[in-house]
């Protein structure tokens, strides 16, 4: 067990990287999900087709492949574009952190699109009619009437998507992000204790997902507080 | 930068070579995972703590950690132990293919048992009572009333999980297996044409996810043929 | 029936039932003789559903004795199953099996519990569908039927098991008004054939025309039990009078 102590610092920094990727990626995924679901519900044909294509492609392609496409693809694109301005530039790539965060946000955002869409549709149509009767504009109805009610319905699935997102961060080690799986790889080559080193990674992930699960449960309780009966 | 459409078309046949391993992984881990899921479900429903606790612990561990980490622990980690290397399972665990099947099956077992449990809990209590009132025994009620309805309720979630499994097989490429993603990564290393090759791979995956989704959709429609459409 | 001596077929003695701290049934005494029709009424939450659910042990009573057709209801599973074979039940919410066609709903328990062959079970099922006047619905899914039709299927499903006793738990409460009479007609037919019935209902017309006794329950107790003529003309208890004035005023 004592072999772990020498690596605690590295694991700690790796874990902060995991949390940073998670935070950045979650914000992007929620944005993609909101835009996607709004496009699907807009009634605009072109927006609907684009959003439909987005969800089909990113829910149907392995996360690992999406990460590889974004990382290597963006490197090629960036290099070509910048060589057009300055032929002396050798090679540019975007950091694995941003490529990875964007890639998993695109995937999870596709799932969130569907969840948000279902939740928006789950809000009673009478609510929209009531808002309309009061003369509230469609946009304001969306923001003030439908969104607050939609969250409650979306929460259970949203929680699951957050857990997937958290676990997907492990894949970014494949393109060289120095997070905890990466730390375990390095530590293994030094200590030759692969089980111990990867078990630490599993325990860290388990701890984070447990906290997330509890947080979502708390949020659900809060979101449903107006439904609790007085008895 | 050039985008070579012919390279996409030319690489698809090569990609198909990796398809065999992808589908074998998918099939084996789905079948074994389903068996594990049913056993786990029965343990959870037994109501005896000696059975429910291990089942819940198993589900907790495998749902709370990334599949990539599970694969690494089994493939890289287990050989750390003498008794594994000399045990009966060594021929299986020595091969990356065996390790992936074990990891994916265990993962599927944990997720699917929760999906099936959701289905069982979704069966209306009144139907149990009607069965009881007619004098049906507990096993009879489970087989003839609970199971068919629970399976119907579980299909949408199961179909999503099946697609996730297909996508998870791509992780096999991280432990040197030549599945579809593995083949794609090898070609990219040679040609350095990541867009063309990875997008070709993505297209093949999309064809499969689309087909499976359609298949499950038809199955669901058949299983729900007795449900009122407008309800 | 003839003029046989009155044979008690359901006996409840000092039956008590608790849900946690709440006492749903308080020392219930009730005797139903063979061939009798008993209507149970009372305000919601009075324990009437709980009482008839105890008779086929969908609820377990905590104290007292329940004897149905010679079997005492205890923890003994064999007696419970024997009672359930002989007691048919109709629920407020029908509880038809949604994944089985109408005729298969009627055949399932016959095959599994009565060990009848397929042909025999089907014949019996069709016979009973004719009796509730919807043989043409045999091949449909329950969800394709109206509420009244679904409840008649549920009655036929219970009758397929050749029960000695039929329990009805508010069989018409979930129905639209225009469908109530088609279900009551089937129940009246059944009563005229001499079936022993315990019916929880607020259909006072039904009680007046077919019941041998009307039982009024309130707050977990049987307040009053009398033949309908007496029950409606001269309600003795204040609570009964109040209930009747509320339910008959419109």
């Amino acid at each position: 067990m004592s072999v772990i102590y020498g690596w605690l610092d590295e694991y700690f920094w790796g874990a902060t990287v995991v949390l940073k990727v998670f935070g950045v990626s979650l914000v992007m995924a929620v944005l993609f999900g909101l835009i996607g679901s709004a496009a699907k519900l807009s009634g605009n044909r072109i927006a609907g087709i684009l959003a439909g294509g987005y969800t089909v492609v990113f829910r149907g392609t392995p996360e690992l492949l999406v990460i590889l496409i974004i990382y290597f693809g963006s490197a090629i694109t960036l290099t070509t574009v910048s060589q057009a301005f300055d032929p002396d530039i050798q090679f540019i790539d975007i950091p694995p952190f941003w490529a990875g965060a964007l890639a998993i946000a695109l995937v999870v955002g596709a799932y969130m699109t569907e969840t948000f869409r279902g939740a928006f549709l789950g809000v009673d149509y009478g609510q929209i009619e009531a808002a309309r009767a009061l003369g509230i504009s469609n946009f304001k109805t969306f923001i003030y009437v439908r969104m607050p009610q939609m969250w409650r319905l979306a929460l259970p699935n949203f929680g699951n998507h957050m857990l997937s997102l958290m676990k997907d961060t492990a894949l970014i080690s494949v393109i060289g992000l120095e997070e905890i799986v990466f730390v375990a790889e390095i530590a293994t080559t030094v200590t030759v204790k692969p089980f111990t080193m990867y078990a630490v990674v599993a325990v860290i992930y388990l701890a984070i997902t447990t906290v997330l699960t509890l947080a979502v449960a708390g949020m659900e309780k809060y979101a449903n507080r107006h439904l609790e009966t007085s008895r | 930068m050039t985008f070579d459409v012919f390279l996409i078309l030319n690489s698809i046949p090569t990609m198909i070579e990796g398809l065999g391993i992808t589908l074998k992984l998918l099939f084996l881990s789905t079948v074994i995972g389903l068996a594990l899921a049913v056993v786990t479900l029965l343990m959870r429903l037994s109501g005896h703590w000696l059975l429910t606790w291990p089942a819940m612990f198993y589900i907790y561990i495998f749902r709370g950690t990334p599949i990539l980490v599970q694969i690494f622990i089994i493939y890289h980690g287990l050989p750390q132990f003498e008794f594994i290397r000399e045990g009966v399972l060594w021929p299986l665990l020595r091969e990356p293919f065996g390790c992936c099947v074990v990891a994916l099956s265990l993962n599927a077992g944990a997720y699917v048992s929760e999906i099936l449990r959701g289905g069982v809990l979704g069966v209306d209590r009144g139907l149990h009572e009607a069965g009881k009132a007619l004098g049906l025994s507990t096993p009879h009620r489970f087989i003839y009333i609970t199971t068919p309805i629970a399976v119907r309720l579980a299909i949408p979630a199961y179909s999503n999980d099946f697609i996730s499994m297909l996508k998870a097989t791509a992780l096999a490429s991280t432990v040197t297996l030549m599945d579809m993603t593995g083949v794609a990564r090898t070609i990219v290393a040679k040609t350095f044409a990541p867009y063309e090759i990875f997008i070709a791979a993505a297209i093949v995956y999309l064809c499969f996810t689309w087909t499976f989704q359609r298949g499950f959709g038809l199955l669901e429609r058949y299983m729900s043929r007795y449900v009122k459409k407008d309800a | 029936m003839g003029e046989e001596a009155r044979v008690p077929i359901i006996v409840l003695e000092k039956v008590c039932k608790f849900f946690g701290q709440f006492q749903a049934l308080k020392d219930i005494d009730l005797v139903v003789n063979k061939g009798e029709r008993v209507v149970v009424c009372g305000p919601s939450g009075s324990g009437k559903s709980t009482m008839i659910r105890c008779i086929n042990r969908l609820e377990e009573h905590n104290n007292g004795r329940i004897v149905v057709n010679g079997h005492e209801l205890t923890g003994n599973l064999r007696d419970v199953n024997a009672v359930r074979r002989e007691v048919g039940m109709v629920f407020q919410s029908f509880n038809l099996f949604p994944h089985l066609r109408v005729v298969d709903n009627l055949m399932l328990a016959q095959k599994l519990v009565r060990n009848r062959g397929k042909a025999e079970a089907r014949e019996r099922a069709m016979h009973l569908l004719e009796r509730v006047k919807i043989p043409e619905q045999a091949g449909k899914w329950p969800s394709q039927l109206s509420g009244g039709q679904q409840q008649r299927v549920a009655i036929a499903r219970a009758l397929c098991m050749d029960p000695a006793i039929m329990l009805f738990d508010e069989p018409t409460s979930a129905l639209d008004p225009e469908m109530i009479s088609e279900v009551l007609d089937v129940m009246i037919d059944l009563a005229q054939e001499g079936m022993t019935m315990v019916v929880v209902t607020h259909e006072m017309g039904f009680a007046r025309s077919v019941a041998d006794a009307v039982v009024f329950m309130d707050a977990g107790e049987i307040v009053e039990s009398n033949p309908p003529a007496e029950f409606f003309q001269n309600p003795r208890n204040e609570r009964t009078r109040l209930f009747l004035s509320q339910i008959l005023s419109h």
Side-chain angles (χ1 to χ4, degrees), chain B residues 94-150:
Chain B
R94 192 175 48 193
E95 301 295 331
F97 184 81
C99 288
C100 285
V101 170
V102 170
L104 292 175
S105 304
L106 285 169
N107 204 273
Y111 273 92
V112 175
S113 86
E114 282 297 90
I115 290 172
L116 295 180
R117 197 171 78 98
V120 169
L121 295 181
V123 178
D124 186 1
R125 261 200 60 198
L127 297 178
H128 287 283
E129 292 189 341
K132 271 192 204 171
L134 287 167
L136 299 184
S137 65
T138 309
H140 274 156
R141 288 202 303 274
F142 196 80
I143 296 169
Y144 291 97
I145 297 168
T146 308
T147 305
I149 297 175

Side-chain angles (χ1 to χ4, degrees), chain A residues 33-50:
Chain A
L34 284 178
I35 295 171
S37 58
K40 280 200 167 185
L41 294 171
S42 67
N44 182 314
R45 257 194 76 193
I46 295 166
I49 289 172
L50 284 177

